[in-house]
Amino acid sequence: MFAAERRQLILEMVRANGAVSLRELARVVQTSEVTVRRDVRALEAEGLLDRRHGGAVLPGGFTRESGFPQKSHLATAEKTAIADLAAGLVEEGEAVVVGAGTTTQELARRLARVPGLTVVTNSLLVAQALAHANRVEVVMTGGTLRGSNYALVGSGAEQSLQGLRVSRAFLSGSGLTAERGLSTSNMLSASVDRALVQAAAEVVVLADHSKLGTDTMFQTVPTDVITRLVTNEPLTRDERSATELQALADQGVQIAIAGVGQPAPAPGQGQGTGPGVGPGRTDGGPTVGRPARRDTPLPGPRRTHPPTAPGGPGLRGPVSLSDQQLGGRVADLAPRRR
């Protein structure tokens, strides 16, 4: 197949699906991922598509939302690492809300091991991941099924969240910028995500580095409402992601960076007050190559959150977490002095 034919086929696949992984592109055009990456780079230079880590998407963040089958093949290692790190934030007996998305689905698989947990969700995939967890109670919203991401949306979903109060919300989205916060391409999904946020004392955003600096049509969570961002290490040459991370830190978002390929922390023990054990250690000592830290706050100014209901089941206020307790590392970012 000539390069022009190969690139035309790549372009047709992206237009048909919204987003396609490099692996899938290479399989269809019957060439190597190196060659496909070169083709994608050339098509991006012509403005015909946008590159993302591990794949290609339609150009511009305000056009079309890719469906679950496409999203599930993008940045899989990063999503796994992010989910591993985020699971360390959840304690036994806590009550949380988990929004729809491929990254939150990965988180749900890990939360299945946290005893006494109550999870409220509008995602069928999140509920399915927790369906066989013996000691986890799953509460689903009402609403209308949106087939592209297997989520319940609409007024039924939003009304079922009224009067709910939990310790924290875990959300993903299509893009994250310091200027607008978390956003998505679908109006109905954005509206339900906003309702999920209203139910939580603090908001944790799960977003791999490819979403940093990407702005989509509908804002879901303004930056000043985001408590923490759990992400992965940006690529060395990815200046946009690094710049966006610093801008988010400047606005008070606490940032934790997951190391891809690191051992997963034990879910249900993320808020202990002991020294913790870093990845690769079993003796309670410091993580190799990094000085020991104890109760080190995540960077960014501490925010004041609405008080949790006194004596409410599973409700706990924000606490300081060490990088060792989280099982990843705390970003070396602090707000710039103004």
Side-chain angles (χ1 to χ4, degrees):
M1 186 180 295
F2 293 110
E5 295 175 315
R6 193 172 59 241
R7 291 173 186 177
Q8 181 61 35
L9 181 55
I10 289 172
L11 190 57
E12 289 174 359
M13 289 182 63
V14 174
R15 286 174 175 170
N17 296 287
V20 187
S21 68
L22 291 179
R23 182 181 304 171
E24 180 65 13
L25 290 172
R27 185 187 67 80
V28 172
V29 301
Q30 298 182 348
T31 188
S32 68
E33 289 189 30
V34 174
T35 300
V36 167
R37 188 177 290 108
R38 189 182 307 121
D39 290 335
V40 168
R41 190 178 295 114
L43 291 168
E44 183 185 45
E46 297 178 36
L48 298 174
L49 51 74
D50 287 343
R51 283 185 298 160
R52 291 290 183 270
H53 181 63
V57 300
L58 287 173
F62 300 96
T63 50
R64 174 179 172 179
E65 181 186 32
S66 55
F68 172 79
Q70 292 78 39
K71 289 181 180 179
S72 62
H73 295 296
L74 294 174
T76 53
E78 289 81 355
K79 292 173 183 177
T80 298
I82 289 169
D84 285 339
L85 183 54
L89 291 167
V90 182
E91 274 195 317
E92 294 184 12
E94 204 169 351
V96 299
V97 295
V98 179
T102 52
T103 310
T104 51
Q105 181 188 22
E106 287 296 324
L107 171 64
R109 291 180 176 133
R110 287 143 184 84
L111 295 184
R113 301 191 293 270
V114 182
L117 188 65
T118 300
V119 176
V120 181
T121 185
N122 69 317
S123 169
L124 298 185
L125 298 175
V126 168
Q128 183 183 43
L130 295 167
H132 300 292
N134 293 330
R135 294 177 290 177
V136 176
E137 181 178 0
V138 180
V139 179
M140 294 207 66
T141 69
T144 302
L145 177 63
R146 183 166 179 260
S148 61
N149 64 345
Y150 303 95
L152 297 172
V153 298
S155 60
E158 295 170 39
Q159 290 172 8
S160 66
L161 293 165
Q162 292 180 3
L164 181 71
R165 194 63 175 166
V166 299
S167 56
R168 57 178 58 87
F170 292 92
L171 296 176
S172 187
S174 302
L176 177 65
T177 66
E179 181 180 359
R180 291 185 71 222
L182 191 67
S183 62
T184 186
S185 302
N186 182 266
M187 180 173 62
L188 294 175
S189 295
S191 186
V192 174
D193 281 353
R194 285 192 288 267
L196 292 172
V197 167
Q198 291 295 319
E202 63 178 57
V203 178
V204 181
V205 170
L206 312 181
D208 66 80
H209 77 271
S210 68
K211 296 178 181 178
L212 299 176
T214 298
D215 197 6
T216 53
M217 189 175 295
F218 299 100
Q219 182 192 57
T220 57
V221 189
T223 306
D224 60 358
V225 177
I226 299 173
T227 310
R228 294 186 177 95
L229 165 64
V230 184
T231 186
N232 64 286
E233 189 85 48
L235 300 178
T236 305
R237 298 180 180 178
D238 191 354
E239 296 182 2
R240 182 184 70 170
S241 296
T243 300
E244 207 66 49
L245 278 177
Q246 182 62 64
L248 288 163
D250 288 346
Q251 295 199 37
V253 177
Q254 301 170 358
I255 297 171
I257 295 180
V260 177
Q262 288 184 354
Q269 300 177 357
Q271 293 182 340
T273 56
V277 179
R281 297 287 299 230
T282 57
D283 57 0
T287 305
V288 175
R290 194 168 65 234
R293 295 181 182 177
R294 184 184 177 112
D295 295 329
T296 304
L298 294 170
R302 183 96 169 237
R303 291 217 179 105
T304 302
H305 299 279
T308 56
L315 304 186
R316 295 174 175 81
V319 298
S320 296
L321 300 173
S322 72
D323 53 350
Q324 292 174 339
Q325 289 163 351
L326 283 175
R329 79 172 180 86
V330 175
D332 297 325
L333 298 174
R336 298 187 184 96
R337 294 185 177 180
R338 305 187 184 280

